[in-house]
Structures are given as structure tokens and as C-alpha cells.
Amino acid sequence: MDQTQHAYFEGKIVPFGDAKISIATHGLNYGTAAFGGLRGYWNAGQKKLFVFRPLDHFKRFLHSAKVLAMDLPHTPESLTKITMELLKVDGWQQDVYVRPLCYKADAGIGVRLHDLRDEVSIFATPFGAYGKNEDGAHVTISSWRRIDDNVIPARGKISGAYANSALIKTDAIRAGFDEALVLDQNGHISEGTAMNVFMVRDGVLITPPVYDNILEGITRRTILELAKNELGLPVLERSIDRTETFVCDELFLTGTAAQVTVITKVDYRAVGNGKIGPITASLRDLFNEVVHGKVEKYNHWNAAVE
Ligand code: PMP
């Protein structure tokens, strides 16, 4: 992490260095924590920092908490307000990533979800590109399988579940790829390590449905809406087979960190003609305009820090 000034910790905004937990913390030992990830985009023209879809992010965050049997005294609105205050205190004038975390805060031994204290923390840090080759990623199909809803639900952004993503990512990177797509227990493409996946076949935009063990991405939802409303594209949420990624016309990843990341090769096979496709290019441009608060119609998605 580069730098960060303050954090929300145990109910207060404190200097970042004061936000410390014990090594015996339940969430750290057992992965009984859940997180979110939002971006703040600096609009240099308007000199404003816009946080993208905070209410939607915090709604999902509270859903993740619910999966972990947490009953947090927060709403999407209260968490958005805290985030805005935190960002204001540090006066960021650059793109940032915001990381809310909820965790089982008691120190001690004993794996469970109940009868434990829950806490929420939030910090922000400067953030640019996430991946190395966002204009042309080479992905592999991982030999690992995605965690199943009946194992650890991918629908929740549960910290412990990210050991699955970490296994997938490290093997992909060490084998020379930029990222990996992972199959679920039924053999369908679920998603990347921290991003959803879309493919274009014959002019139709297709993404796996929420019941194929994916995180219900806010960027995914955004892209589906923009594709339908602005490009008039037919969109389909249906299972995707492994070899469809070899024969499709366009393929890309979406996520708060990854934004719209273009995939140009899958296991040494070129996607389409091996270059960014026209639908991916249009959606990426539109997404960039929207998140920077430059498209009036979607400005309700951008919360300005002021
Ligand atoms: N899938 C996984 C596993 C993720 O961690 C993320 C990142 N939050 C996404 C998809 C994309 O979700 P979002 O667009 O809400 O960032």
C-alpha cells in the first residue's frame, strides 16, 4: 500500500497508524471477515472526487456481513456518510480505492460465527491501474475450481474465501499469464480472481448468471445497464462453457479495481482478431466517462466528496 492518512476504526475516524488489531483477532485467524472495494475518481476539471455507486457497494457489503451472521448497526447511507467524511478529512485530489472491512473482532480461540463482537473499518489509499495488461490480457483457465455457494458463498465478499482467488492468481502469474478465469463445480466459467467476465458472441453480450458462483459485481451491473440502455445491445445472463472463451468475438473483465480489462488471449488462442473489439472499446469508453461524472444521465451514481 502506498499511503493513507486516516481510517474509520471502532466507531471513529483516527490516524491510520492508530487503527490496529490484535494478532488473536477472530477475523484474522479464521477469515471471518468481509470487505468491499470502492473507487473514488478525481475529476480534475470539476476539482471533485466522485465515489462510484457507494450505496450499491455498501448494500452488498451489508449482505456479505449478513452471510457471516453479523448484525451491524449500519445502513448503506450511514456507511456512505462515514466514507465521505473520511475522504474529506484527507482531502484526496487523486484516484483512490476505498476498502471497508467488517470482521469478527474478539480475540480468542474457537471457530464459529455467533457470540462474537463485530467491527467495521474503512480506509482509502491512492490507486491507479490494477493489472499489468489491461489493454490486452492473456488469461488461462485455472486448474483450481471456484468455491461453491454451499462451500463458501462467492456472493459474499468474504475474506477467507479470497484464499481461493489467491491460489488461482499466483499460479496464473507464475505460469506467465496476466489473470485466470475459474470454473465452478459444474464446469462453467464463473469469473476472474477479483472481476466478473463478459463475452460477446454474434453481437450479444453474455455474462454468467448470479447462480454460477460469482460475486454480484457492481461494475458488472453497470456494464449490463450501459450496454442495454446506451448501446442497445442484447444482453444475456447465462452459463458460459470453457471453450466458448476460445471461439467468442470479444472477452473482457470488469471490477472496481480492474475496471474494464480487455482479454485478447485465452490459453494461447487469440480472442477474435487478437485486439480490443468494438463493443468492448465502446463500453470501456462509456464506463470511463460515467465514473468520472461526465455523463449527466448517470450522475446519480457518483457521490461527490464535499
Ligand atoms: N468478482 C470478485 C471475486 C471480486 O473480488 C470482485 C471485486 N470486488 C468482482 C468480481 C467485481 O466486483 P465489483 O465490480 O463490485 O468490484
Side-chain angles (χ1 to χ4, degrees):
M1 206 171 65
D2 304 340
Q3 146 210 14
T4 188
Q5 269 90 38
H6 286 83
Y8 176 76
F9 180 68
E10 297 184 345
K12 294 193 295 282
I13 291 175
V14 299
F16 184 74
D18 293 352
K20 293 201 174 111
I21 58 164
S22 157
I23 57 166
T25 303
H26 202 277
L28 180 62
N29 283 264
Y30 299 113
T32 47
F35 60 100
L38 300 78
R39 263 189 194 258
Y41 288 94
W42 177 245
N43 180 318
Q46 293 184 40
K47 294 213 170 307
K48 274 188 185 159
L49 185 70
F50 288 115
V51 180
F52 191 59
R53 302 190 76 164
L55 292 172
D56 295 308
H57 274 283
F58 283 121
K59 188 171 171 192
R60 184 181 68 195
F61 179 72
L62 291 174
H63 284 167
S64 298
K66 194 172 184 181
V67 172
L68 293 180
M70 294 181 185
D71 191 11
L72 302 175
H74 286 288
T75 60
E77 288 77 14
S78 69
L79 290 165
T80 298
K81 187 159 175 270
I82 292 165
T83 300
M84 293 301 171
E85 276 167 30
L86 178 67
L87 293 172
K88 192 171 170 186
V89 166
D90 288 330
W92 298 107
Q93 298 201 357
Q94 58 187 309
D95 292 351
V96 295
Y97 187 87
V98 179
R99 166 54 51 81
L101 176 77
C102 53
Y103 56 99
K104 299 283 173 189
D106 284 295
I109 308 300
V111 68
R112 64 185 186 283
L113 293 176
H114 62 282
D115 295 340
L116 290 164
R117 187 168 55 91
D118 304 316
E119 285 289 351
V120 172
S121 62
I122 308 177
F123 67 85
T125 187
F127 206 71
Y130 180 66
K132 253 196 324 14
N133 291 320
E134 295 188 347
D135 294 330
H138 184 187
V139 307
T140 185
I141 308 292
S142 184
S143 63
W144 298 97
R145 289 292 169 117
R146 187 76 179 123
I147 40 168
D148 186 80
D149 195 49
N150 297 298
V151 177
I152 307 177
R155 173 170 289 105
K157 213 167 154 49
I158 297 168
S159 299
Y162 277 76
N164 179 240
S165 287
L167 288 164
I168 297 161
K169 182 81 176 205
T170 288
D171 279 3
I173 297 295
R174 286 182 172 167
F177 297 96
D178 298 308
E179 180 52 49
L181 297 174
V182 60
L183 305 175
D184 70 1
Q185 301 297 326
N186 300 317
H188 296 135
I189 301 275
S190 59
E191 55 185 342
T193 54
M195 51 292 269
N196 294 111
V197 64
F198 284 83
M199 85 178 168
V200 177
R201 287 196 77 179
D202 300 321
V204 183
L205 184 67
I206 304 166
T207 195
V210 294
Y211 48 81
D212 272 359
N213 299 295
I214 64 166
L215 183 77
E216 298 177 5
I218 309 300
T219 319
R220 172 184 180 276
R221 203 181 309 164
T222 303
I223 289 294
L224 283 171
E225 283 189 59
L226 294 178
K228 261 188 288 191
N229 300 345
E230 304 308 314
L231 303 187
L233 282 178
V235 301
L236 211 52
E237 294 175 58
R238 67 143 172 92
S239 297
I240 295 180
D241 275 344
R242 175 182 195 145
T243 52
E244 287 192 275
T245 64
F246 296 167
V247 301
C248 66
D249 306 315
E250 300 184 33
L251 197 62
F252 62 90
L253 299 162
T254 64
T256 297
Q259 304 179 98
V260 175
T261 290
V262 186
I263 299 176
T264 48
K265 243 193 261 177
V266 182
D267 283 328
Y268 294 90
R269 291 154 179 92
V271 175
N273 64 6
K275 300 207 174 65
I276 181 170
I279 291 175
T280 309
S282 303
L283 284 169
R284 188 161 74 157
D285 289 350
L286 190 54
F287 178 78
N288 271 327
E289 296 275 294
V290 166
V291 294
H292 284 94
K294 294 181 181 169
V295 185
E296 181 79 43
K297 183 172 169 189
Y298 295 104
N299 277 352
H300 61 281
W301 280 343
N302 302 300
V305 177
E306 46 203 0

